[in-house]
Amino acid sequence: MRPPDVRGVRVPAALELGERWLKVVTRPIARSPQSLDWVVTPIANLSNEQITQAVASAFRELRVKPKPLVVCLPRNLVTLRNLHLPSQNPEEIAQMIDLNLPRLVPYRKEEVLSSYQLVGTDEIGQTKVMLAIVHRELIQRQVKLLESAGLSVDQILLSSHGVWEWLLSSHQDDLHAQGLSLLLDVDAGFTDFIICSRDHLLFSRSIAIEPSQLTEPTGLAKRLGEVTQALAIFQSEERPEK
């Protein structure tokens, strides 16, 4: 089968294939840096071929060919761990993460892919690490779907990281140099609780609460309880000054 025809000028684009929705956003070069074009399409219960067609159709509607194309992995599909490791040597840190990986998820090491960022040191000199782990089959499926649509993936990011970058680009003047920011990214099937600074994404926790529940007293109470719990976990781990 020939790949669907995707035509148009080359512009940066980001894409998210969630469990329910396909989201595509582009930033046209000829317009304001704050100007965005986007397409959101329901994909729940669609076959792989139908999802491929939806992807190709989205870029045809936007009249662009994405380059580079960034794929955002929904937070609820990724395991995230905050680690404190007794070393500041990059090679030693990589070895420690590799050794600890099997005990962090219920999969064999060869079944997962992982990536991490260093986010500073704690009060006793240990290196703080944010580790992301995802099942290999999820990545392989998404890459295959996009390749079938005639697209190539240039970068894969956690959706929480995308929210943090949006905060930096849109609200830079509102961020305190030494302070922390708390974000709640309410998605279709979950809420992402995010804590970040100007320099780093520091913490993220997926909360299983949908937007429709926020208008119900029990749903709102549950969300507030989950947020309070997530904040307590962060404070116990990081002990931030503010």
Side-chain angles (χ1 to χ4, degrees):
M1 182 182 72
R2 293 182 58 189
D5 186 19
V6 181
R7 299 178 179 176
V9 296
R10 293 184 178 272
V11 299
L15 175 148
E16 179 181 292
L17 277 173
E19 296 172 311
R20 304 183 191 181
W21 299 91
L22 161 68
K23 307 172 189 176
V24 179
V25 61
T26 65
R27 175 168 288 173
I29 296 175
R31 302 217 301 266
S32 162
Q34 301 301 322
S35 178
L36 299 174
D37 290 334
W38 65 86
V39 172
V40 179
T41 303
I43 58 172
N45 303 317
L46 295 187
S47 67
N48 286 348
E49 184 176 354
Q50 289 172 322
I51 293 174
T52 292
Q53 293 172 353
V55 170
S57 176
F59 284 106
R60 281 198 298 268
E61 180 178 338
L62 293 168
R63 298 182 180 180
V64 300
K65 187 165 181 69
K67 195 64 179 180
L69 174 62
V70 177
V71 171
C72 288
L73 295 179
R75 172 64 182 89
N76 65 326
L77 301 181
V78 179
T79 298
L80 210 61
R81 293 287 184 267
N82 287 80
L83 307 176
H84 291 236
L85 301 178
S87 176
Q88 295 186 20
N89 182 296
E91 293 184 1
E92 291 181 351
I93 290 171
Q95 291 174 357
M96 290 178 186
I97 291 174
D98 188 60
L99 289 173
N100 282 282
L101 200 57
R103 70 177 182 82
L104 297 175
V105 289
Y107 306 112
R108 297 193 303 272
K109 188 187 298 185
E110 58 270 20
E111 293 179 314
V112 300
L113 295 171
S114 65
S115 182
Y116 64 90
Q117 285 190 341
L118 308 183
V119 293
T121 56
D122 62 19
E123 67 277 4
I124 62 173
Q126 293 187 330
T127 300
K128 297 191 292 185
V129 178
M130 176 172 279
L131 172 65
I133 308 169
V134 63
H135 201 284
R136 186 181 295 269
E137 288 184 357
L138 173 66
I139 300 293
Q140 291 174 335
R141 176 177 179 267
Q142 295 208 1
V143 170
K144 185 175 181 180
L145 288 172
L146 297 177
E147 288 178 344
S148 297
L151 303 171
S152 61
V153 178
D154 296 289
Q155 189 177 17
I156 299 176
L157 291 177
L158 181 67
S159 62
S160 310
H161 197 277
V163 174
W164 173 64
E165 289 197 338
W166 165 83
L167 179 69
L168 293 181
S169 64
S170 302
H171 298 276
Q172 180 73 29
D173 295 338
D174 299 326
L175 301 179
H176 298 290
Q178 303 301 324
L180 301 181
S181 297
L182 188 155
L183 306 173
L184 290 174
D185 178 26
V186 182
D187 210 318
F190 67 97
T191 294
D192 188 4
F193 173 93
I194 299 170
I195 295 178
C196 61
S197 68
R198 276 189 175 186
D199 300 319
H200 298 291
L201 174 67
L202 298 170
F203 182 84
S204 169
R205 184 178 178 90
S206 179
I207 302 174
I209 300 178
E210 301 186 11
S212 60
Q213 296 175 295
L214 301 182
T215 58
E216 305 169 0
T218 55
L220 182 58
K222 180 181 178 183
R223 179 187 182 190
L224 291 174
E226 293 277 5
V227 167
T228 301
Q229 182 183 13
L231 184 58
I233 292 172
F234 173 75
Q235 289 176 324
S236 67
E237 290 180 352
E238 304 300 332
R239 296 179 293 275
E241 294 182 2
K242 296 183 179 180

